[in-house]
Amino acid sequence: MRVLVTGGAGFIGSHLCERLVLDGHDVLCLDNFFTGSKRNIAHLLGESRFELIRHDITQPILLEVDRIYNLACPASPIHYQYNPVKTIKTSVLGVIHMLGLAKRVRARILQASTSEVYGDPQVHPQTEEYWGNVNPIGLRSCYDEGKRVAETLMMDYHRQNGVDVRIIRIFNTYGPRMALNDGRVVSNFIVQALRGEDLTVYGKGEQTRSFCFVTDLVEGMTRMMECEGFAGPVNLGNPAETTILEFAERIISLTGSRSKIVFRPLPADDPQQRQPDISLAGTRLGWSPTVDVETGLMQTIDYFATLMKGAAS
Ligand code: NAD
Ligand code: UDP
């Protein structure tokens, strides 16, 4: 199949492109390189089944494809808040363009939605039936509400135009190829620990997250794309929940660092707890994560250690 991956040079997108090439597909990787990098897909550039297109999905594009994975959107709070108007345009105009393309060439389209559609959740763990608790006018809204509208557009194109859609709600995912300056907690803590700097815990660190390794996520994404007769939404994540303070202590211990923990103000609207209920993914896709957090974190620590050595030499 010919498969388009928007945001293909980003963290998750690059792992997805790699997997799709391995599975024998022709992959078109589209990216505007806002947070993505050519380094993430450099190893694929020599593959005859891989093509790279520099394009911004806020502008329309016509391509002959069978499948579209729509991942283009900055995912880290510092990056999506850098230009919030652009972020919401990427989610809303971008998905309109991708849905228009899917409709025209009769491609199946999967939208990378997020646990952020649940906002600061009052239901725990979060099931797909929960409608969420989202501030529509806060600093995170450009991302959260953009992703919520994208889900609405997916379902409306499906009902109105018969477009074959799939929606996944991704919970915090980590792994090699996260950007060094990404600002998300996994990369921040690992880089701080490796440099011997203080680990910056926001608030008291009592808030929780549940971290999923990227290869597990990619397996769930491809299963969902090829699952017949099920549009979703479906949660994809690892239910292993931890407080951010425990997570900081774990990173210090896994890296063997002498770093200390310092406390910084909690950003506005930071969700207090987050844990996916993945029963639906289990029943419909036969999917559950297989990589335990320690194994995944060691691979990620190795990645950053190598990257930082390269940058220093
Ligand atoms: P990332 O920032 O590494 O990747 C996003 C990619 O999209 C980058 O390569 C960026 O350059 C590209 N991009 C941004 N705006 C674009 C535009 N207008 N046109 C073309 N390309 C554009 O982030 P990621 O973690 O790989 O996230 C990928 C997707 O998964 C995003 O849609 C994100 O919202 C979603 N997601 C990720 C997580 C996570 O924990 N990593 C959680 C929930 C949802
Ligand atoms: N966080 C932190 N220190 C950091 C970066 C993040 O304590 O240096 C916290 C952040 O406040 C949030 C959690 O870690 O509660 C996860 O943050 P991230 O930006 O990775 O993702 P999100 O908030 O979107 O889940």
Side-chain angles (χ1 to χ4, degrees):
M1 274 190 284
R2 281 169 68 83
V3 186
L4 171 64
V5 179
T6 78
F11 157 52
I12 297 174
S14 64
H15 287 274
L16 178 63
C17 287
E18 193 175 276
R19 166 70 189 267
L20 293 168
V21 168
L22 272 176
D23 287 351
H25 300 294
D26 283 332
V27 176
L28 300 180
C29 166
L30 179 156
D31 210 292
N32 72 348
F33 298 109
F34 173 47
T35 52
S37 133
K38 282 192 189 151
R39 194 182 48 232
N40 287 342
I41 37 104
H43 61 297
L44 295 172
L45 289 172
E47 297 278 346
S48 56
R49 293 206 204 94
F50 182 81
E51 277 175 75
L52 178 62
I53 306 165
R54 180 188 278 268
H55 180 78
D56 191 309
I57 61 159
T58 59
Q59 301 296 324
I61 189 166
L62 182 60
L63 297 162
E64 289 296 331
V65 290
D66 309 296
R67 298 280 186 266
I68 303 168
Y69 286 88
N70 189 37
L71 274 66
C73 184
S76 131
I78 55 166
H79 288 137
Y80 69 65
Q81 289 168 20
Y82 171 75
N83 184 345
V85 174
K86 175 73 189 206
T87 300
I88 200 155
K89 280 186 182 171
T90 296
S91 281
V92 178
L93 290 176
V95 83
I96 289 174
H97 294 142
M98 288 305 122
L99 281 161
L101 174 63
K103 180 180 160 194
R104 183 153 172 185
V105 302
R106 297 206 164 81
R108 183 179 289 177
I109 177 168
L110 178 144
Q111 169 66 7
S113 190
T114 167
S115 52
E116 286 283 319
V117 300
Y118 302 122
D120 191 5
Q122 289 166 340
V123 167
H124 193 77
Q126 293 79 57
T127 57
E128 290 83 355
E129 287 80 42
Y130 179 49
W131 289 354
N133 176 36
V134 177
N135 175 359
I137 56 167
L139 293 177
R140 293 176 87 101
S141 313
C142 60
Y143 182 75
D144 299 10
E145 298 289 21
K147 290 284 188 179
R148 285 170 68 96
V149 172
E151 288 199 10
T152 307
L153 284 160
M154 293 284 286
M155 293 314 296
D156 284 339
Y157 269 77
H158 176 58
R159 287 185 287 253
Q160 194 175 330
N161 301 109
V163 175
D164 194 8
V165 301
R166 303 284 181 276
I167 301 171
I168 56 165
R169 293 183 178 151
I170 304 172
F171 284 64
N172 296 66
T173 297
Y174 71 97
R177 302 200 200 118
M178 294 185 91
L180 204 70
N181 63 347
D182 187 88
R184 281 181 276 187
V185 70
V186 177
S187 44
N188 269 13
F189 284 179
I190 293 178
V191 171
Q192 288 163 344
L194 291 174
R195 286 184 178 148
E197 295 169 358
D198 295 338
L199 270 66
T200 51
V201 168
Y202 300 161
K204 293 184 186 150
E206 287 167 351
Q207 69 274 36
T208 69
R209 293 295 186 272
S210 309
F211 295 102
C212 181
F213 193 61
V214 64
T215 51
D216 278 335
L217 176 75
V218 166
E219 177 64 31
M221 292 175 96
T222 53
R223 284 193 194 201
M224 181 58 177
M225 180 61 108
E226 297 313 325
C227 179
E228 295 303 323
F230 176 49
V234 66
N235 289 339
L236 293 180
N238 189 326
E241 187 183 14
T242 168
T243 68
I244 293 301
L245 184 57
E246 284 162 359
F247 191 64
E249 286 160 354
R250 192 164 205 179
I251 298 285
I252 289 177
S253 132
L254 288 176
T255 50
S257 171
R258 290 186 184 175
S259 295
K260 302 271 174 291
I261 291 172
V262 292
F263 295 90
R264 296 280 176 264
L266 188 69
D269 297 334
D270 199 290
Q272 266 309 297
Q273 50 179 5
R274 183 181 290 156
Q275 183 191 34
D277 180 320
I278 55 165
S279 336
L280 187 63
T283 327
R284 301 299 299 246
L285 312 176
W287 178 87
S288 63
T290 59
V291 181
D292 65 85
V293 176
E294 195 146 319
T295 309
L297 281 176
M298 283 317 296
Q299 282 195 39
T300 314
I301 290 166
D302 287 348
Y303 169 79
F304 279 112
T306 310
L307 191 70
M308 287 161 67
K309 240 182 250 159
S313 61

